[in-house]
Amino acid sequence: MKVDVLLGLQWGDEGKGKVVDVLTPRYDAVARFQGGPNAGHTLEFDGKKYVLRSIPSGVFQNDTNLIGNGVVIDPVLFREEAEALCKSGLDLKKTLKISKKAHLILPTHRLLDAASERAKGDAKIGTTGKGIGPTYTDKTSRNGLRVGDIFDNFDEKYAAARQRHLDRLEALGSTPDEYELIDLEGHWLDAIQYIKEYDIVDGEFLVNDLLREGKSVLCEGAQGTMLDVDFGSYPFVTSSNTICAGACTGLGIAPNKIGDVFGIFKAYCTRVGSGPFPTELFDETGKLIRNLGHEYGAVTGRERRCGWIDLVALKYAIMINGVTKLIMMKSDVLDGFDTIKACVAYDIDGKVTDRFPYSIDSDLIKPVYKELPGWKTPMSAMTAEAQFPKEFNDYIAFLEKELATPIAIVSVGPDRTQTIER
Ligand code: GDP
Ligand code: IMO
Ligand code: MG
């Protein structure tokens, strides 16, 4: 068997959580492969809404869920998230497994994240403040603490990491208040004990054993391709590989074990935090999309920047990930528009290109738009492709041609049931 991978093609928040939940019953296991509590994956069903941060979106409909080695875990936030889910009736200690090789976010990583942002001033990345960058930095500089470490001489390893971080904070002019830090650490160390109650596994063996037994696995990405540390809008990116290759390194899966790659995108585009966004709308249309799409961060509540769909960036993302099937989200948000714009090329200094450039300076890039007629029909009550209005089918056909990839699923609302397969 092979694994299928579901990942975001834009700047995150495409609706990954919703679709992973919808697809979960078709798989024997669901595994998160990167990111951490910077993610906020929203699921809605039976009139209830859940936001998952580090826990795979398969937990509501599947008995085997893995937090892979590529994920970074904040024990305090993990505990908060897990306890809320357990309260709602899930038996996570039976259904959730955590890779020994996943790295731990320390309280001082969060302080370093804030200090680093302060030091950058106007050039700040607008991170989620969850300590993601400093934790992955420690991983690649070979200083990180892993979940497996909590069983072996942990106090000593923790003390060394803490001291290193305090030295770094001092260099950044951000020495923390001693009492505040002791308080943070108290909660963190309690949460480390809580994590021990979970099944801590060799994730790479778990996944490969499942495949050998003929079982199916869905890999859940976090963030989106344009936030990938190698191929995103660097340096305004997250610190992990959000792309398909991240599923290989973040779970221990060989490249030849990748099956379908589901690439998920909104019918328009959003971004949170700083950084270039060529199709961003600063006008009333942008505001309208934000209001209609409720484009506010699932965890932070931060306003999401909104704009038209960017096919230059999407084509690039499809190429990097080897997307086999596209999933279009939030079609219903564009219901009321007379016309819908799609960016088909960038005009950079008079040169028109449909290749995503090295330098993505929104001030220099003028999007070249194609305008299409809107469908002016409420999509959210639709249940089958046969009900789609002509203009909507035309929009889909246009995207499929431009992107040379089939759109397999269309989402017309936040609820699990508002999902149409083509
Ligand atoms: P993720 O991070 O990719 O899982 O996405 P988020 O949960 O951060 O953001 C997606 C938001 O859009 C959530 O509030 C979802 O409930 C909502 N959503 C998902 N699909 C649709 C859809 O088709 N239509 C509408 N209107 N909302 C949707
Ligand atoms: P999901 O999985 C949208 C953005 C932050 C910031 C940049 C770096 O819900 O799609 P970080 O805290 O990772 O160092 O921040 O990345 N970012 C996200 N934007 N959705 C996310 O996750 C994001 N996770 C990080 O806003 O610009
Ligand atoms: Mg999100």
Side-chain angles (χ1 to χ4, degrees), residues 11-14 16 38-41 113 125-130 132-133 222-224 227 237-239 271-274 302:
W11 276 282
D13 301 329
E14 296 90 348
K16 298 173 290 293
N38 48 349
H41 294 180
D113 194 354
I125 289 160
T127 72
T128 58
K130 298 290 187 285
I132 303 297
Q223 291 78 53
L227 289 169
V237 293
T238 190
S239 297
R271 158 159 221 174
V272 208
S274 337
R302 285 192 293 173

Side-chain angles (χ1 to χ4, degrees), residues 128 236 251 265 267 293 299-300 313 393:
T128 58
F236 298 99
L251 289 169
F265 66 100
V299 177
T300 58
N393 280 327

Side-chain angles (χ1 to χ4, degrees), residues 12-18 40-42 44 49 298 304 329-333 411-414:
D13 301 329
E14 296 90 348
K16 298 173 290 293
K18 171 188 159 158
H41 294 180
T42 315
E44 281 191 45
K49 179 169 156 173
R304 293 180 185 148
M329 308 300 290
K330 304 192 92 158
S331 320
D332 52 299
V333 173
S411 173
V412 294

Side-chain angles (χ1 to χ4, degrees), residues 66-143:
L66 172 69
I67 298 181
N69 58 277
V71 175
V72 290
I73 301 177
D74 181 327
V76 175
L77 296 180
F78 169 78
R79 180 183 194 165
E80 214 173 80
E81 187 179 345
E83 285 183 338
L85 290 171
C86 290
K87 233 182 237 160
S88 72
L90 295 184
D91 194 356
L92 282 187
K93 286 180 190 158
K94 284 218 177 91
T95 62
L96 179 64
K97 296 169 194 313
I98 305 173
S99 167
K100 280 178 198 162
K101 295 193 169 88
H103 279 245
L104 290 167
I105 302 176
L106 275 53
T108 36
H109 279 135
R110 288 182 70 154
L111 300 177
L112 279 167
D113 194 354
S116 157
E117 285 284 84
R118 263 197 303 276
K120 281 180 188 277
D122 284 347
K124 74 171 186 198
I125 289 160
T127 72
T128 58
K130 298 290 187 285
I132 303 297
T135 306
Y136 279 115
T137 302
D138 271 356
K139 174 177 174 173
T140 46
S141 66
R142 297 153 294 179
N143 285 310

Side-chain angles (χ1 to χ4, degrees), residues 135-283:
T135 306
Y136 279 115
T137 302
D138 271 356
K139 174 177 174 173
T140 46
S141 66
R142 297 153 294 179
N143 285 310
L145 289 188
R146 302 187 288 180
V147 171
D149 290 330
I150 62 185
F151 301 102
D152 175 32
N153 215 3
F154 186 62
D155 291 348
E156 205 174 291
K157 289 175 191 160
Y158 175 71
R162 177 190 201 268
Q163 191 53 51
R164 220 169 1 85
H165 293 167
L166 289 177
D167 293 346
R168 175 94 189 103
L169 282 165
E170 198 184 335
L172 286 164
S174 284
T175 306
D177 178 83
E178 197 180 324
Y179 294 103
E180 226 168 87
L181 180 58
I182 287 171
D183 188 44
L184 286 174
E185 280 178 323
H187 291 297
W188 191 83
L189 291 166
D190 279 353
I192 287 283
Q193 295 307 317
Y194 176 77
I195 285 197
K196 284 186 180 167
E197 296 169 25
Y198 281 80
D199 200 4
I200 313 290
V201 300
D202 293 305
E204 62 276 36
F205 282 110
L206 176 89
V207 173
N208 284 290
D209 286 348
L210 282 169
L211 296 182
R212 202 158 356 93
E213 290 161 17
K215 303 257 171 68
S216 56
V217 180
L218 178 63
C219 309
E220 174 180 4
Q223 291 78 53
T225 302
M226 303 320 291
L227 289 169
D228 179 83
V229 68
D230 280 277
F231 298 103
S233 48
Y234 192 86
F236 298 99
V237 293
T238 190
S239 297
S240 65
N241 279 118
T242 62
I243 58 170
C244 187
C248 296
T249 58
L251 289 169
I253 296 164
N256 64 358
K257 295 270 166 53
I258 303 283
D260 265 322
V261 181
F262 297 106
I264 179 164
F265 66 100
K266 286 177 187 169
Y268 48 96
C269 196
T270 65
R271 158 159 221 174
V272 208
S274 337
F277 179 3
T279 61
E280 182 167 14
L281 292 166
F282 298 95
D283 57 4

